[in-house]
Amino acid sequence: MSDHLATVAGTDVDTRHWIDGRRRGSATVFTDLSPIDGRPLASIARGAAPEADAAVQAAANAFPDWAATPPAERARLLHAIADGVHKRLDELAQVETADNGALLRSHRVGVMPRVAHNFRFFADRLLSLAHPDFATRGHTNQVAWRPAGPCALITPWNAPLMLATWKVAPALAAGNTVVLKPAEWSPLTASLLADIAHEAGLPPGVLNVVQGYGTEAGRALAAHPGIRRISFTGSVPTGRAVAAAAARNLTPVSLELGGKSPLLVFADADLDLAVDLAVEQYDNAGQVCLAATRLLVEEPVAAEFTRRLVARAEGLRQGDPRTESTELGPLVHPRQLEKVDGFVRRAVEQGARVLTGGSPHPQLGPLHYRPTLLTQVAQDSEIVQEEVFGPVLTLQTFRTEQEALTLANGTRFGLAATLATGDRDRAARVAARLVAGTVWVNCFFVRDLRAPFGGARSSGIGREGGTWSFDFYCDLHTTVTAPTGWSEHG
């Protein structure tokens, strides 16, 4: 077995970078741990400025030919990548579960099929991308999307391949070349994606994968003068650092920086539905940027809602994410467990009451944390204002619609919001006043790639999805043609 191959869940994964159509090592490595048992999975090539520069150069060299490739051919190759993902769906699911600890059944049924769909959707969208011509004083205006150039895509660990391909697919469809920097806590499926893209026939240099730490490889990419677009998903502090580095080169950025989303439950809501929605917020051990971790419940139903939710939370089956019956797996990394537990401990010290959970569950494994519900929390407290990114919900009550809105909008975030009510007029009225990029009414996590995705305030900058992705990954180009001035032979 090669020193550069790690066997993970029965699949061989190359641990080197993918640059210019071939594998490239680094002088140093870092250790990738499995959240399931805390054991090392692989020693991963640790990229930094030299590898980032080589990848950007490869992307720059490949860009002219790829940008000139007819859209139909680009779309064909994206569909071929989707076919490769579908063919290796179970392998990808098992490797990603081993690497980031999310439920295997979710990866098989939802996440990996969505990875393939990302490529198919943007391939098809490319072929329908058009803007109608329009006239100005007899002149013809034509609008077109022109590829911008090499793109740096820096992706998170909580849904590694799905969120990576949410960026890779539209960037490639638009005619750009890509340097992908996966999160160091879950890099393995990005390496497999490079193999799949190569097998599909993607030309060398069009997709490059550089592994490493954000402070090294990520920083080098964000500051690189050869990069024409940067898309980043992650924390607010890192987003600020990416934006600052990009500003030196005036590189456009798209930033999705998480949230502290509310779930508003009105007294006229279907209470069973409202409790179901609340329980969904524990999905992926709470490591979901869109999670509505702040439960805001109207006083008349608060006691009954709380009783039902506590019972449901305590009944969640925690354990090995590879087991079909498991509903709540581990956190991704020891540092994440320390972070989550620190939030809860400080909240309790400040007066919060633990209704259920509130501590790790070491009997199940080193990184399991009990589903937690806290009440008696102040609106200005850390636990209400800051993103925990773990299975921790807070519960506050309100008396009036205005009070609910004040609480819901009372953080620096604005990524999403969820609303449970039986009143259509209230639903429309409240949804219109919530500061959020996406509002779900009597549902949660219903996503369509045709819709724009992004947040307000500290939740980020920009929108991606549908035509909005092409708007970001392209330079919009307008040609205005006069009706006169043509020669007889023109």
Side-chain angles (χ1 to χ4, degrees):
M1 181 65 68
S2 167
D3 291 341
H4 302 301
L5 289 178
T7 302
V8 179
T11 296
D12 290 339
V13 183
D14 200 306
T15 60
R16 296 171 292 178
H17 315 288
W18 179 256
I19 298 174
D20 204 16
R22 58 190 175 87
R23 292 291 176 177
R24 170 172 169 161
S26 288
T28 58
V29 298
F30 63 93
T31 301
D32 181 30
L33 303 174
S34 175
I36 297 174
D37 54 18
R39 295 179 182 176
L41 285 174
S43 294
I44 308 294
R46 180 174 170 176
E51 291 83 2
D53 188 64
V56 174
Q57 188 59 56
N61 292 341
F63 173 67
D65 285 346
W66 181 245
T69 299
E73 175 63 9
R74 295 205 301 267
R76 185 193 68 78
L77 286 166
L78 291 181
H79 275 291
I81 295 172
D83 292 341
V85 169
H86 184 76
K87 181 179 178 181
R88 302 185 66 178
L89 189 147
D90 195 63
E91 291 177 44
L92 292 166
Q94 294 200 51
V95 170
E96 190 137 296
T97 290
D99 203 15
N100 87 327
L103 300 183
L104 179 57
R105 60 182 169 83
S106 294
H107 279 142
R108 282 173 168 156
V109 173
V111 177
M112 294 308 160
R114 167 64 186 274
V115 169
H117 178 62
N118 285 344
F119 285 104
R120 297 197 194 284
F121 173 87
F122 286 106
D124 294 341
R125 193 76 171 191
L126 167 64
L127 298 182
S128 64
L129 193 64
H131 191 290
D133 293 352
F134 54 97
T136 305
R137 298 190 302 277
H139 296 63
T140 301
N141 294 263
Q142 296 173 302
V143 177
W145 288 260
R146 306 296 190 204
C151 300
L153 310 178
I154 304 172
T155 56
W157 45 259
N158 59 320
L161 193 58
M162 192 275 283
L163 292 176
T165 56
W166 155 256
K167 301 175 188 295
V168 169
L172 294 181
N176 298 313
T177 51
V178 163
V179 182
L180 170 64
K181 208 297 283 182
E184 58 266 31
W185 287 354
S186 54
L188 298 179
T189 49
S191 180
L192 294 177
L193 177 64
D195 293 337
I196 291 169
H198 177 64
E199 291 164 6
L202 199 69
V206 174
L207 171 65
N208 306 275
V209 178
V210 175
Q211 302 152 156
Y213 294 117
T215 53
E216 298 172 350
R219 178 178 293 168
L221 286 171
H224 201 289
I227 290 294
R228 295 292 175 260
R229 294 291 188 275
I230 301 170
S231 181
F232 168 78
T233 298
S235 70
V236 173
T238 305
R240 289 195 181 107
V242 168
R248 289 192 287 271
N249 299 309
L250 293 179
T251 307
V253 297
S254 176
L255 305 175
E256 195 270 274
L257 306 179
K260 192 69 178 176
S261 301
L263 165 55
L264 291 75
V265 179
F266 287 92
D268 57 18
D270 178 332
L271 210 56
D272 288 334
L273 171 64
V275 172
D276 287 345
L277 292 174
V279 172
E280 281 192 68
Q281 311 313 313
Y282 290 121
D283 184 50
N284 200 21
Q287 299 168 130
V288 178
C289 60
L290 294 161
T293 57
R294 295 186 295 128
L295 309 179
L296 309 176
V297 186
E298 195 168 1
E299 284 188 356
V301 296
E304 179 62 16
F305 174 89
T306 302
R307 183 188 68 77
R308 295 190 196 184
L309 177 56
V310 168
R312 290 282 301 279
E314 291 178 347
L316 288 172
R317 293 183 293 273
Q318 289 187 265
D320 190 323
R322 298 166 296 188
T323 301
E324 187 71 19
S325 61
T326 298
E327 296 174 291
L328 199 69
L331 294 172
V332 70
H333 193 274
R335 278 168 45 195
Q336 190 65 15
L337 180 76
E338 293 171 10
K339 176 187 172 186
V340 170
D341 193 44
F343 270 112
V344 174
R345 286 187 287 100
R346 289 190 297 274
V348 172
E349 290 168 1
Q350 294 167 10
R353 178 188 171 198
V354 179
L355 296 180
T356 188
S359 63
H361 204 324
Q363 298 92 332
L364 297 177
L367 296 179
H368 287 269
Y369 202 88
R370 301 174 195 272
T372 297
L373 179 62
L374 304 176
T375 190
Q376 296 179 12
V377 291
Q379 178 68 11
D380 62 354
S381 64
E382 178 192 55
I383 197 68
V384 170
Q385 293 294 322
E386 297 299 327
E387 187 175 44
V388 177
F389 226 60
V392 178
L393 309 182
T394 61
L395 191 149
Q396 299 166 272
T397 62
F398 63 86
R399 294 184 181 88
T400 67
E401 188 176 295
Q402 181 55 53
E403 184 182 5
L405 282 163
T406 299
L407 292 171
N409 292 336
T411 76
R412 63 193 172 111
F413 294 100
L415 184 57
T418 303
L419 169 62
T421 178
D423 185 327
R424 287 182 182 271
D425 291 338
R426 169 179 280 151
R429 188 170 59 244
V430 172
R433 296 180 62 192
L434 287 167
V435 179
T438 300
V439 178
W440 286 288
V441 179
N442 293 331
C443 61
F444 176 66
F445 214 56
V446 179
R447 292 280 309 279
D448 192 309
L449 285 178
R450 291 172 294 182
F453 180 74
R457 298 176 175 170
S458 292
S459 286
I461 298 171
R463 295 291 185 273
E464 294 186 47
T467 304
W468 292 273
S469 284
F470 288 94
D471 290 347
F472 173 69
Y473 289 111
C474 290
D475 291 321
L476 274 294
H477 181 91
T478 303
T479 301
V480 184
T481 305
T484 59
W486 305 107
S487 68
E488 294 181 3
H489 306 290

